[in-house]
mmCIF file with all atom_site columns, all heavy atoms in Angstrom:
data_model
loop_
_atom_site.group_PDB
_atom_site.id
_atom_site.type_symbol
_atom_site.label_atom_id
_atom_site.label_alt_id
_atom_site.label_comp_id
_atom_site.label_asym_id
_atom_site.label_entity_id
_atom_site.label_seq_id
_atom_site.pdbx_PDB_ins_code
_atom_site.Cartn_x
_atom_site.Cartn_y
_atom_site.Cartn_z
_atom_site.occupancy
_atom_site.B_iso_or_equiv
_atom_site.pdbx_formal_charge
_atom_site.auth_seq_id
_atom_site.auth_comp_id
_atom_site.auth_asym_id
_atom_site.auth_atom_id
_atom_site.pdbx_PDB_model_num
ATOM 1  N N   . TYR D 1 107 ? -68.623 14.338 53.393 1.00 97.00 ? 107 TYR D N   1
ATOM 2  C CA  . TYR D 1 107 ? -69.978 13.880 53.679 1.00 97.00 ? 107 TYR D CA  1
ATOM 3  C C   . TYR D 1 107 ? -70.345 12.845 52.637 1.00 97.00 ? 107 TYR D C   1
ATOM 4  O O   . TYR D 1 107 ? -69.764 12.801 51.552 1.00 97.00 ? 107 TYR D O   1
ATOM 5  C CB  . TYR D 1 107 ? -70.998 15.035 53.668 1.00 97.00 ? 107 TYR D CB  1
ATOM 6  C CG  . TYR D 1 107 ? -71.186 15.672 52.320 1.00 97.00 ? 107 TYR D CG  1
ATOM 7  C CD1 . TYR D 1 107 ? -72.123 15.187 51.416 1.00 97.00 ? 107 TYR D CD1 1
ATOM 8  C CD2 . TYR D 1 107 ? -70.413 16.759 51.933 1.00 97.00 ? 107 TYR D CD2 1
ATOM 9  C CE1 . TYR D 1 107 ? -72.284 15.773 50.174 1.00 97.00 ? 107 TYR D CE1 1
ATOM 10 C CE2 . TYR D 1 107 ? -70.570 17.348 50.693 1.00 97.00 ? 107 TYR D CE2 1
ATOM 11 C CZ  . TYR D 1 107 ? -71.507 16.838 49.821 1.00 97.00 ? 107 TYR D CZ  1
ATOM 12 O OH  . TYR D 1 107 ? -71.664 17.411 48.586 1.00 97.00 ? 107 TYR D OH  1
ATOM 13 N N   . PHE D 1 108 ? -71.281 12.003 52.973 1.00 94.00 ? 108 PHE D N   1
ATOM 14 C CA  . PHE D 1 108 ? -71.822 11.071 51.993 1.00 94.00 ? 108 PHE D CA  1
ATOM 15 C C   . PHE D 1 108 ? -73.135 10.510 52.515 1.00 94.00 ? 108 PHE D C   1
ATOM 16 O O   . PHE D 1 108 ? -73.470 10.662 53.689 1.00 94.00 ? 108 PHE D O   1
ATOM 17 C CB  . PHE D 1 108 ? -70.820 9.963  51.646 1.00 94.00 ? 108 PHE D CB  1
ATOM 18 C CG  . PHE D 1 108 ? -70.713 8.845  52.647 1.00 94.00 ? 108 PHE D CG  1
ATOM 19 C CD1 . PHE D 1 108 ? -71.177 7.576  52.334 1.00 94.00 ? 108 PHE D CD1 1
ATOM 20 C CD2 . PHE D 1 108 ? -70.141 9.045  53.891 1.00 94.00 ? 108 PHE D CD2 1
ATOM 21 C CE1 . PHE D 1 108 ? -71.070 6.537  53.253 1.00 94.00 ? 108 PHE D CE1 1
ATOM 22 C CE2 . PHE D 1 108 ? -70.025 8.017  54.809 1.00 94.00 ? 108 PHE D CE2 1
ATOM 23 C CZ  . PHE D 1 108 ? -70.496 6.752  54.482 1.00 94.00 ? 108 PHE D CZ  1
ATOM 24 N N   . ASN D 1 109 ? -73.884 9.902  51.626 1.00 94.00 ? 109 ASN D N   1
ATOM 25 C CA  . ASN D 1 109 ? -75.143 9.255  51.959 1.00 94.00 ? 109 ASN D CA  1
ATOM 26 C C   . ASN D 1 109 ? -74.886 7.753  51.925 1.00 94.00 ? 109 ASN D C   1
ATOM 27 O O   . ASN D 1 109 ? -74.743 7.178  50.848 1.00 94.00 ? 109 ASN D O   1
ATOM 28 C CB  . ASN D 1 109 ? -76.220 9.640  50.947 1.00 94.00 ? 109 ASN D CB  1
ATOM 29 C CG  . ASN D 1 109 ? -77.548 8.963  51.228 1.00 94.00 ? 109 ASN D CG  1
ATOM 30 O OD1 . ASN D 1 109 ? -77.643 8.061  52.042 1.00 94.00 ? 109 ASN D OD1 1
ATOM 31 N ND2 . ASN D 1 109 ? -78.570 9.394  50.525 1.00 94.00 ? 109 ASN D ND2 1
ATOM 32 N N   . PRO D 1 110 ? -74.816 7.112  53.095 1.00 93.00 ? 110 PRO D N   1
ATOM 33 C CA  . PRO D 1 110 ? -74.495 5.683  53.114 1.00 93.00 ? 110 PRO D CA  1
ATOM 34 C C   . PRO D 1 110 ? -75.680 4.764  52.812 1.00 93.00 ? 110 PRO D C   1
ATOM 35 O O   . PRO D 1 110 ? -75.501 3.562  52.685 1.00 93.00 ? 110 PRO D O   1
ATOM 36 C CB  . PRO D 1 110 ? -74.021 5.466  54.548 1.00 93.00 ? 110 PRO D CB  1
ATOM 37 C CG  . PRO D 1 110 ? -74.813 6.453  55.333 1.00 93.00 ? 110 PRO D CG  1
ATOM 38 C CD  . PRO D 1 110 ? -74.945 7.672  54.433 1.00 93.00 ? 110 PRO D CD  1
ATOM 39 N N   . TYR D 1 111 ? -76.899 5.333  52.714 1.00 94.00 ? 111 TYR D N   1
ATOM 40 C CA  . TYR D 1 111 ? -78.099 4.527  52.529 1.00 94.00 ? 111 TYR D CA  1
ATOM 41 C C   . TYR D 1 111 ? -78.204 3.465  53.620 1.00 94.00 ? 111 TYR D C   1
ATOM 42 O O   . TYR D 1 111 ? -78.710 2.371  53.406 1.00 94.00 ? 111 TYR D O   1
ATOM 43 C CB  . TYR D 1 111 ? -78.149 3.896  51.125 1.00 94.00 ? 111 TYR D CB  1
ATOM 44 C CG  . TYR D 1 111 ? -78.100 4.935  50.038 1.00 94.00 ? 111 TYR D CG  1
ATOM 45 C CD1 . TYR D 1 111 ? -76.903 5.247  49.390 1.00 94.00 ? 111 TYR D CD1 1
ATOM 46 C CD2 . TYR D 1 111 ? -79.245 5.646  49.690 1.00 94.00 ? 111 TYR D CD2 1
ATOM 47 C CE1 . TYR D 1 111 ? -76.860 6.226  48.409 1.00 94.00 ? 111 TYR D CE1 1
ATOM 48 C CE2 . TYR D 1 111 ? -79.213 6.622  48.705 1.00 94.00 ? 111 TYR D CE2 1
ATOM 49 C CZ  . TYR D 1 111 ? -78.013 6.904  48.078 1.00 94.00 ? 111 TYR D CZ  1
ATOM 50 O OH  . TYR D 1 111 ? -77.963 7.876  47.107 1.00 94.00 ? 111 TYR D OH  1
ATOM 51 N N   . ALA D 1 112 ? -77.664 3.801  54.797 1.00 95.00 ? 112 ALA D N   1
ATOM 52 C CA  . ALA D 1 112 ? -77.647 2.935  55.978 1.00 95.00 ? 112 ALA D CA  1
ATOM 53 C C   . ALA D 1 112 ? -77.239 3.829  57.153 1.00 95.00 ? 112 ALA D C   1
ATOM 54 O O   . ALA D 1 112 ? -76.969 5.015  56.954 1.00 95.00 ? 112 ALA D O   1
ATOM 55 C CB  . ALA D 1 112 ? -76.635 1.812  55.780 1.00 95.00 ? 112 ALA D CB  1
ATOM 56 N N   . PRO D 1 113 ? -77.154 3.294  58.351 1.00 97.00 ? 113 PRO D N   1
ATOM 57 C CA  . PRO D 1 113 ? -76.670 4.133  59.465 1.00 97.00 ? 113 PRO D CA  1
ATOM 58 C C   . PRO D 1 113 ? -75.257 4.662  59.198 1.00 97.00 ? 113 PRO D C   1
ATOM 59 O O   . PRO D 1 113 ? -74.447 4.016  58.535 1.00 97.00 ? 113 PRO D O   1
ATOM 60 C CB  . PRO D 1 113 ? -76.677 3.169  60.657 1.00 97.00 ? 113 PRO D CB  1
ATOM 61 C CG  . PRO D 1 113 ? -77.697 2.133  60.294 1.00 97.00 ? 113 PRO D CG  1
ATOM 62 C CD  . PRO D 1 113 ? -77.583 1.972  58.795 1.00 97.00 ? 113 PRO D CD  1
ATOM 63 N N   . CYS D 1 114 ? -74.968 5.840  59.715 1.00 98.00 ? 114 CYS D N   1
ATOM 64 C CA  . CYS D 1 114 ? -73.650 6.458  59.529 1.00 98.00 ? 114 CYS D CA  1
ATOM 65 C C   . CYS D 1 114 ? -72.587 5.665  60.286 1.00 98.00 ? 114 CYS D C   1
ATOM 66 O O   . CYS D 1 114 ? -72.746 5.396  61.477 1.00 98.00 ? 114 CYS D O   1
ATOM 67 C CB  . CYS D 1 114 ? -73.645 7.893  60.062 1.00 98.00 ? 114 CYS D CB  1
ATOM 68 S SG  . CYS D 1 114 ? -74.760 9.002  59.199 1.00 98.00 ? 114 CYS D SG  1
ATOM 69 N N   . PRO D 1 115 ? -71.495 5.307  59.618 1.00 98.00 ? 115 PRO D N   1
ATOM 70 C CA  . PRO D 1 115 ? -70.408 4.647  60.337 1.00 98.00 ? 115 PRO D CA  1
ATOM 71 C C   . PRO D 1 115 ? -69.702 5.639  61.276 1.00 98.00 ? 115 PRO D C   1
ATOM 72 O O   . PRO D 1 115 ? -69.710 6.844  61.017 1.00 98.00 ? 115 PRO D O   1
ATOM 73 C CB  . PRO D 1 115 ? -69.469 4.166  59.233 1.00 98.00 ? 115 PRO D CB  1
ATOM 74 C CG  . PRO D 1 115 ? -69.891 4.843  57.988 1.00 98.00 ? 115 PRO D CG  1
ATOM 75 C CD  . PRO D 1 115 ? -71.258 5.394  58.183 1.00 98.00 ? 115 PRO D CD  1
#
Side-chain angles (χ1 to χ4, degrees):
Y107 66 88
F108 79 111
N109 179 349
Y111 302 98
C114 297

